[in-house]
Amino acid sequence: MAIARPIRVLGLVAVGLWIFFLYQIFGGERIELGPGDTLDQIERDPQLDPSGEPEGVLWRADQGYAPGDNSQRINATLLSLVRNSELQGMIQAMRDLERTWNSKFNYPWTFFNDEPFTEEFKRKTQAETKAECRYELIPKEHWDMPSWIDKELFDESAKILKENDIQYASMVSYHQMCRWNSGLFYKHPALANTQFYWRVEPKVHFFCDVDYDVFRYMADRNKTYGFTINLYDAPQSIPTLWPETMKFLAQHPEYIHDNNAMNWLSDSARRPDHNKKANGYSTCHFWSNFEIADMSFWRSQAYEDYFNHLDRAGGFFYERWGDAPVHSIALGLFEDSSKIHWFRDIGYQHIPYFNCPNSPKCKGCQAGRFTDGESWLMKEDCRPNWFKYVGMG
């Protein structure tokens, strides 16, 4: 009997350790989860895996998901806002995306510029793809500083932003770009009859072979927005964006979706300094230099009213409201969060951040790597918050 008691105690300890192990694997808070942490969660997207799911039949060629000219086409385009001087960076990005994806589907490219494209730009970009290339000029009324913006106040505000180390603060063109990307690009006549787009910027990299039509995936799964990287913004660049958003919500509570991502937008636990400086906004946002989206959302009454409210408030010029936080806040408030998709299987880099899947289809990036910059940049990753509050869908 004296021996039995220690054995029972050891048995209870073993059971307790086993329960703790299971809890660590299947339960508890997963806030620190990042790309590449586990093969079963990161190597493939279960929603795109044909094994074990009825939806897998959508991968069959006769369903339009397989590569080739016979795939069923979606009303979509690859979209780039680019200068003539960025030609080489654009060519590099095109080569990556054509090699890994678009050469299999041949979706058109639509290039936008506030100045006419040169013949050299047209010739050399068209040479990188078999798909149609379209070259569009942005109307002056969509690009110029709006009439209600006070230029002297803009200059004074730019000085303050610069003193706070806010990048591009004094560049009028950068503010114009953020405003155009936020609420005007989808109004261009060239996109009037287009529904989906994949935004591609110069100098970005794509690392993974993607063998399915991402636009078909978005349409068939009723997804509104797709992202790869999710970051914290510089709170000094957007101090009144959240207060203005709260003013708008007070006027239009009907626009808030029942399944919103407010917790992700307002979280203060992980970066309380950001939440405080941004007056209640976590500053988490989808890094919009990569986005695959349905323009029906931007064309909705909710988003149109929201953008007009922000535009009149002047923060695109008096502060540095980027299209990334503006898009992200609108999606987090007005859209069903289950319609926002993390493209974990698309390897992507925009300096200095990566989305690098743990997959044999990826070459040229280190699995799970988030940044090639200083170690402090690791804390800028807001994907763990998205996974915590919304999930990996």
Side-chain angles (χ1 to χ4, degrees):
M1 296 296 293
I3 296 174
R5 183 174 296 131
I7 291 175
R8 286 199 299 270
V9 170
L10 288 172
L12 289 172
V13 170
V15 170
L17 288 172
W18 178 247
I19 291 172
F20 178 76
F21 173 76
L22 291 177
Y23 178 80
Q24 292 300 310
I25 299 297
F26 297 107
E29 185 176 276
R30 300 188 180 190
I31 189 168
E32 296 305 322
L33 181 63
D37 282 354
T38 59
L39 283 172
D40 60 331
Q41 289 178 325
I42 305 302
E43 180 172 1
R44 62 169 66 123
D45 183 337
Q47 291 182 302
L48 300 177
D49 183 4
S51 62
E53 284 196 32
E55 289 83 357
V57 298
L58 294 175
W59 276 75
R60 296 191 326 230
D62 61 354
Q63 294 293 323
Y65 273 71
D69 293 334
N70 294 325
S71 65
Q72 298 174 26
R73 314 307 291 164
I74 290 295
N75 184 5
T77 190
L78 300 168
L79 186 153
S80 296
L81 173 63
V82 56
R83 302 182 184 94
N84 289 306
S85 60
E86 296 173 305
L87 173 59
Q88 292 307 313
M90 195 70 246
I91 287 174
Q92 178 258 295
M94 289 182 73
R95 285 179 180 171
D96 269 15
L97 191 53
E98 287 289 329
R99 183 188 71 252
T100 57
W101 183 75
N102 197 46
S103 61
K104 306 160 194 173
F105 297 98
N106 291 316
Y107 275 97
W109 288 83
T110 306
F111 300 99
F112 291 96
N113 194 348
D114 64 309
E115 297 179 352
F117 283 106
T118 64
E119 290 305 312
E120 179 190 21
F121 187 99
K122 294 178 183 179
R123 183 180 69 258
K124 290 187 175 181
T125 49
Q126 182 63 79
E128 298 299 326
T129 178
K130 295 179 182 178
E132 177 189 3
C133 290
R134 306 160 182 167
Y135 303 90
E136 304 294 341
L137 183 65
I138 299 172
K140 286 182 62 65
E141 61 270 21
H142 284 184
W143 189 258
D144 288 350
M145 187 182 291
S147 59
W148 57 86
I149 298 299
D150 186 316
K151 184 60 167 60
E152 290 185 5
L153 182 56
F154 166 77
D155 292 337
E156 289 299 317
S157 300
K159 289 179 183 178
I160 296 172
L161 290 170
K162 191 172 182 179
E163 289 170 0
N164 284 290
D165 296 323
I166 298 302
Q167 200 173 18
Y168 312 124
S170 59
M171 292 178 60
V172 176
S173 61
Y174 191 87
H175 294 264
Q176 291 169 315
M177 176 192 70
C178 290
R179 178 176 179 258
W180 186 80
N181 277 327
S182 292
L184 294 167
F185 77 95
Y186 53 88
K187 297 178 181 178
H188 194 286
L191 298 177
N193 299 313
T194 304
Q195 183 178 0
F196 288 92
Y197 69 96
W198 182 337
R199 180 168 158 183
V200 185
E201 294 197 353
K203 296 184 179 181
V204 301
H205 286 280
F206 297 92
F207 302 105
C208 307
D209 287 329
V210 179
D211 297 324
Y212 64 96
D213 187 334
V214 299
F215 293 125
R216 281 294 310 279
Y217 176 85
M218 294 285 287
D220 290 352
R221 298 301 180 90
N222 196 25
K223 299 294 184 181
T224 296
Y225 190 87
F227 72 96
T228 54
I229 295 172
N230 186 326
L231 296 173
Y232 288 94
D233 206 350
Q236 299 92 332
S237 68
I238 49 173
T240 67
L241 177 56
W242 192 250
E244 284 297 335
T245 299
M246 292 300 100
K247 288 180 187 178
F248 178 78
L249 293 183
Q251 298 167 6
H252 295 285
E254 72 276 10
Y255 289 152
I256 304 175
H257 198 282
D258 291 340
N259 190 32
N260 62 66
M262 175 64 87
N263 288 336
W264 171 66
L265 293 171
S266 60
D267 175 84
S268 61
R270 201 152 175 258
R271 296 296 300 272
D273 55 328
H274 278 228
N275 185 285
K276 182 178 180 180
K277 292 175 182 176
N279 295 299
Y281 173 33
S282 69
T283 76
C284 284
H285 64 281
F286 308 118
W287 217 22
S288 59
N289 44 66
F290 174 106
E291 56 184 11
I292 301 173
D294 183 346
M295 284 186 281
S296 300
F297 179 79
W298 312 132
R299 292 164 175 154
S300 68
Q301 193 64 54
Y303 187 78
E304 183 71 5
D305 289 347
Y306 179 58
F307 171 74
N308 287 336
H309 176 92
L310 297 182
D311 202 21
R312 284 289 176 174
F316 289 110
F317 291 91
Y318 300 142
E319 296 178 11
R320 200 204 65 184
W321 294 355
D323 51 278
V326 171
H327 280 186
S328 302
I329 290 173
L331 287 159
L333 293 174
F334 311 141
E335 184 55 286
D336 182 340
S337 61
S338 69
K339 293 185 178 183
I340 300 172
H341 179 67
W342 175 40
F343 277 103
R344 72 191 76 182
D345 57 333
I346 298 181
Y348 175 75
Q349 180 199 24
H350 185 294
I351 294 173
Y353 299 110
F354 291 81
N355 183 70
C356 190
N358 200 346
S359 169
K361 291 187 175 184
C362 302
K363 298 177 182 178
C365 70
Q366 180 182 339
R369 184 182 187 183
F370 175 65
T371 179
D372 60 2
E374 300 293 333
S375 59
W376 65 268
L377 291 173
M378 291 295 296
K379 67 180 181 179
E380 299 305 313
D381 189 0
C382 197
R383 283 175 296 190
N385 269 24
W386 181 260
F387 303 150
K388 175 185 177 181
Y389 292 118
V390 181
M392 291 190 178

